[in-house]
């Protein structure tokens, strides 16, 4: 793997990066919205909202998701053996907001189900992907979780949630013309 140590990069020819401009630029990129879950001590479910999610490989099937080191659930995910990704429907926006917070009672409201592998997932999600934790990579203030997918299933009716410019929307067909 090729990577550069940030302290070794020559940035003398660059202007300083404005963090607000970087956040705004990244917010302008539309993404789907997911809730990532695992089971912690005493089989307690833990989860967080993520839009930094993508497929990595088809053979073997792998995905990645990024988790902030400041998330309440970080210590549990750092030591987990498996996790699930629920791709949210447009009507799940309040659930996405709750799981993006630092609240302790994230699973108190909403509809959740247990998979045959024992993971808690969002009932009625667009899709649910279950993974074994394959690798973790340090990435600044986040960690990248790479999952080896062992199960993927989709709902019959799908209206995926979309997040862009710090607002939720829905994905729909593009009109012809």
């Amino acid at each position: 793997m090729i990577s550069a140590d940030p302290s070794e990069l020559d940035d003398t020819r660059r202007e300083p990066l404005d963090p607000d401009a970087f956040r705004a630029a990244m917010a302008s990129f539309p993404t789907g919205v997911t809730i990532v879950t695992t089971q912690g001590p005493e089989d307690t479910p833990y989860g967080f909202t993520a839009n930094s999610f993508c497929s990595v490989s088809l053979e073997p099937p792998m995905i990645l998701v990024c988790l902030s080191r400041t998330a309440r659930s970080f210590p549990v995910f750092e030591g987990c053996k498996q996790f699930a990704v629920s791709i949210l429907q447009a009507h799940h926006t309040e659930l996405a907001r709750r799981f993006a917070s630092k609240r302790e009672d994230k699973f108190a409201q909403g509809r959740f189900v247990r998979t045959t592998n024992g993971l808690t997932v969002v009932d009625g999600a667009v899709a649910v992907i279950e993974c074994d934790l394959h690798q973790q990579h340090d990435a600044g203030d986040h960690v990248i979780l790479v999952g080896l997918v062992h199960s993927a299933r989709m709902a019959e009716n799908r209206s995926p949630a979309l997040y862009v410019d710090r607002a939720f929307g829905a994905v729909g067909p593009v009109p012809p013309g």
Side-chain angles (χ1 to χ4, degrees):
M1 176 163 67
I2 300 172
S3 65
D5 180 341
S7 65
E8 296 175 5
L9 297 176
D10 179 15
D11 61 358
T12 57
R13 295 176 287 151
R14 294 188 210 146
E15 292 181 33
L17 176 64
D18 176 359
D20 292 333
F22 178 63
R23 280 187 201 93
M26 296 311 299
S28 71
F29 183 69
T31 67
V33 186
T34 69
I35 290 180
V36 183
T37 54
T38 194
Q39 302 303 123
E42 299 179 16
D43 205 32
T44 304
Y46 286 82
F48 64 94
T49 297
N51 61 358
S52 296
F53 162 75
C54 69
S55 64
V56 174
S57 170
L58 290 175
E59 190 54 46
M62 295 198 295
I63 57 97
L64 71 74
V65 65
C66 298
L67 171 62
S68 172
R69 293 179 181 284
T70 63
R72 291 180 72 97
S73 60
F74 175 76
V76 176
F77 277 91
E78 187 176 38
C80 77
K81 294 194 181 345
Q82 60 179 354
F83 63 93
V85 178
S86 298
I87 300 174
L88 300 185
Q89 300 268 13
H91 69 271
H92 288 135
T93 58
E94 287 307 315
L95 194 60
R97 284 185 183 95
R98 182 176 345 133
F99 275 76
S101 74
K102 295 202 181 279
R103 290 174 52 170
E104 290 187 32
D105 62 344
K106 293 179 182 182
F107 291 88
Q109 297 172 339
R111 295 182 44 191
F112 302 95
V113 294
R114 294 290 290 261
T115 68
T116 56
N117 294 306
L119 293 169
T120 303
V121 297
V122 176
D123 189 23
V126 168
V128 171
I129 300 167
E130 293 182 84
C131 306
D132 292 328
L133 182 63
H134 179 66
Q135 295 175 329
Q136 292 186 28
H137 301 277
D138 292 333
D141 59 0
H142 280 63
V143 64
I144 300 167
L145 305 173
V146 178
L148 182 61
V149 178
H150 58 77
S151 170
R153 58 195 171 280
M154 295 180 58
E156 282 187 38
N157 298 316
R158 298 182 298 273
S159 177
L162 179 70
Y163 193 72
V164 63
D165 287 332
R166 298 179 181 94
F168 288 97
V171 176
V174 175

